[in-house]
Amino acid sequence: MSCLATLKENGFKITPQRKLIADFFHDAESHLTAEEIIAHVHEKMPGVNKSTIYRNLDIFEHLGCVLKSESGDRVIYHHTEEGHHHHLVCVKCGKSMDCDEMLFRPVEKTLRDKYNFRVDFKHQVISGLCENCYKQP
Amino acid sequence: MSCLATLKENGFKITPQRKLIADFFHDAESHLTAEEIIAHVHEKMPGVNKSTIYRNLDIFEHLGCVLKSESGDRVIYHHTEEGHHHHLVCVKCGKSMDCDEMLFRPVEKTLRDKYNFRVDFKHQVISGLCENCYKQP
DNA sequence: TGTATAATTGCAACCGGGTGCATTTACGAT
DNA sequence: ATCGTAAATGCACCCGGTTGCAATTATACA
């Protein structure tokens, strides 16, 4: 369902700023960084305040339209229609690829069984080395 | 080996600010947050600038005396002599416990085999629910 | 012990992200 | 079409962490 429809359903108003953000997520093939979103909005509508953008990203997140993942200094936003998965980001070349959401199931099980600790790993951003960068020292 | 000795060996100067930080790590039983370190230094020597502290934490990290782990907004510093392990932090009560460093081995193997992606999970800070908080809704 | 000098500190400013509050705006009722 | 009002925006400022630069200080050497 469209992000804008979800906003309306939940009693939020449709503003031009929100339209810009929602459209950008619908057009995006993959995840977006806060920087990219702010740049896009400013391009189409200069003068929009960053706090407006961050507040609306939070709203979209709470409505379940968008997912926010963070790892260290990386923050990534996702349109939820993309499905669930983790992100492998190469620390050398910056290339990013998606990976199966089941990846951490064995770890979750170990933590539950051995440590009585419950974790649900979702949209993890994992930093490492891709094949090319690993080969080339 | 002492952090101060390591500093000296690598051509760094021994300053009172560095002594305070190093001593605090030696006395600490477990990991420390930036907040705790800054508070301790200010208590013993008011007026020390935060940038001095952050810069020195970076130096200790690069010299291998201290390890920095982050996950989202949590940042944790460790004296390396403590040994290696991950941290389970309860999002409800804030309680923190250590867990075995082998935890992510199966994930590392999967990433290497299926995705040709190399990761070395070290000192991860894992947010979840401890037993008590899980039982009490 | 005194001095030269490179490293270190403190400062002030910056960065991404977040918040309280006054002004503006979307939109349901009329 | 107008209006009233609650919600959204822009603004100004806060926060933890980082950086460039001028002033200070630890240390090697005389």
Side-chain angles (χ1 to χ4, degrees), chain B residues 36-56:
Chain B
E36 289 167 341
I37 298 164
I38 291 172
H40 173 84
V41 172
H42 278 168
E43 202 182 309
K44 300 268 178 172
M45 192 176 168
V48 174
N49 200 274
K50 57 178 179 163
S51 57
T52 299
I53 298 173
Y54 283 114
R55 272 190 288 236
N56 284 324

Side-chain angles (χ1 to χ4, degrees), chain B residues 67-79:
Chain B
L67 262 153
K68 183 182 183 180
S69 355
E70 30 194 313
S71 155
D73 55 351
R74 301 172 191 287
V75 182
I76 275 176
Y77 294 91
H78 266 255
H79 200 204

Side-chain angles (χ1 to χ4, degrees), chain A residues 86 102-108 121 124 126, chain B residues 104 107 121:
Chain A
H86 305 291
M102 310 291 269
L103 183 69
F104 289 99
R105 289 297 145 79
V107 172
E108 288 168 5
F121 287 99
Q124 294 295 308
I126 303 164
Chain B
F104 289 99
V107 172
F121 288 99

Side-chain angles (χ1 to χ4, degrees), chain B residues 5-25:
Chain B
T6 309
L7 277 179
K8 198 160 235 168
E9 264 175 37
N10 289 80
F12 291 95
K13 293 178 179 174
I14 308 301
T15 66
Q17 294 90 336
R18 285 177 179 166
K19 269 188 204 153
L20 279 175
I21 297 172
D23 289 353
F24 195 37
F25 273 109

Side-chain angles (χ1 to χ4, degrees), chain B residues 3-4 9 44 46 54 60 65-68 71 73 98 103 107 111 114 124 127 129 137:
Chain B
C3 298
L4 294 176
E9 264 175 37
K44 300 268 178 172
Y54 283 114
F60 283 125
C65 301
V66 155
L67 262 153
K68 183 182 183 180
S71 155
D73 55 351
D98 291 345
L103 183 69
V107 172
L111 289 174
K114 287 205 197 152
Q124 295 295 308
S127 300
L129 280 175

